[in-house]
Amino acid sequence: MEKILIVETNQTTYGDSRDATGLWLGETTEFALAMTEAGYQVDYVSPKGGYVPLDPRSMKYADKESMALYAKKDFQDRALAHTLAPKEVTPEDYAAIYYAGGHGVMWDFPQNQALAELAEKIYQQGGYVTSVCHGIAGLLNLREANGDYLIKGKKVTGFTTAEEILAGKRRVVPFLNQVEAKKRGANFIKKRAYARFAVQDGRLITGQNPFSAKAVAEKLLLALQDK
């Protein structure tokens, strides 16, 4: 059985503030459900391993299927309480890596070298690198074997500047994903704010916002079936 690795944040607050953030639940659950229903095994990793906090705002957007998965002991244990640390992961075991979002990732994804090495190895062995929403922050500093940014010259999407403004977090976040992706030479494309949208460029698949996790999963499943 092929396996998929889901990356989640350990960050509990917006920077040093007291405002809670963390994983956007549906961005993991909707993707994980699509993968497992298609017969893939899913594992969970985070920058530090261990506990993954939930963004409290994400709970009201979770659908019935997401809440059912959230209620399961296996999910609570492996996806939230005891995620793997990067050093516990063997990249050769995975057909794809998926960076889930939530604002927390902007503080602990981009500079985590251990996570970057996992993703780069999965990509170099012919696997897929995928993300949704703020999860694109984990892709920003990934490199090709020749040293170029992985997203350079490629079509990508993620949480847009307009969506950040609408979310009221423009001046809270440490950077803007749309701006940083363009700085690295990516062809950042987008639809209207909060529209369901995902784009594929080779073995790179990215989704725009929290409503795009299933769209990323659909594109990945099609790509894996065609391999």
Side-chain angles (χ1 to χ4, degrees):
M1 180 185 293
E2 287 193 284
K3 298 205 291 183
I4 311 294
L5 186 64
I6 295 179
V7 189
E8 302 173 323
T9 184
N10 300 119
Q11 181 73 21
T12 59
T13 60
Y14 289 89
D16 296 326
S17 76
R18 298 179 61 186
D19 294 332
T21 186
L23 167 70
W24 197 270
L25 179 63
E27 293 180 24
T28 281
T29 53
E30 292 180 16
F31 180 86
L33 285 166
M35 290 295 116
T36 55
E37 287 170 5
Y40 292 89
Q41 181 179 330
V42 171
D43 289 334
Y44 304 89
V45 66
S46 61
K48 297 178 182 177
Y51 174 68
V52 165
L54 291 179
D55 188 313
R57 296 176 306 142
S58 73
M59 302 302 287
K60 67 180 180 180
Y61 293 98
D63 59 22
K64 288 183 179 179
E65 292 79 12
S66 289
M67 291 306 294
L69 179 58
Y70 172 63
K72 291 186 177 180
K73 185 179 185 304
D74 177 72
F75 182 84
Q76 293 174 1
D77 182 51
R78 296 195 306 117
L80 300 177
H82 303 291
T83 59
L84 299 168
K87 65 181 180 181
E88 298 176 290
V89 175
T90 302
E92 290 78 13
D93 292 343
Y94 298 91
I97 185 169
Y98 167 79
Y99 287 81
H103 278 95
V105 309
M106 301 186 77
W107 281 271
D108 66 353
F109 276 10
Q111 306 303 328
N112 190 285
Q113 189 58 35
L115 278 180
E117 289 175 3
L118 280 179
E120 289 165 356
K121 287 177 182 176
I122 289 171
Y123 189 80
Q124 289 162 11
Q125 69 197 23
Y128 289 79
V129 171
T130 71
S131 68
V132 73
C133 199
H134 289 90
I136 193 178
L139 276 54
L140 293 176
N141 294 324
L142 299 184
R143 300 276 186 171
E144 297 262 24
N146 65 4
D148 286 344
Y149 284 114
L150 180 63
I151 62 175
K152 180 182 177 182
K154 295 187 178 70
K155 292 182 291 185
V156 300
T157 192
F159 205 63
T160 67
T161 299
E163 287 167 330
E164 207 68 85
I165 292 169
L166 289 170
K169 303 301 181 183
R170 166 67 181 84
R171 303 197 180 281
V172 178
V173 293
F175 57 88
L176 296 168
N177 283 306
Q178 182 176 338
V179 171
E180 293 302 318
K182 288 182 176 180
K183 282 182 182 179
R184 288 156 174 79
N187 177 15
F188 191 98
I189 58 178
K190 57 187 173 66
K191 298 294 186 182
R192 64 176 173 80
Y194 295 107
R196 183 185 194 267
F197 178 59
V199 61
Q200 179 174 358
D201 193 329
R203 288 182 288 110
L204 191 64
I205 303 173
T206 49
Q208 182 172 321
N209 50 49
F211 305 105
S212 305
K214 289 180 182 178
V216 173
E218 289 163 5
K219 287 187 178 294
L220 177 59
L221 288 171
L222 283 174
L224 291 170
Q225 290 166 9
D226 291 340
K227 284 188 70 175

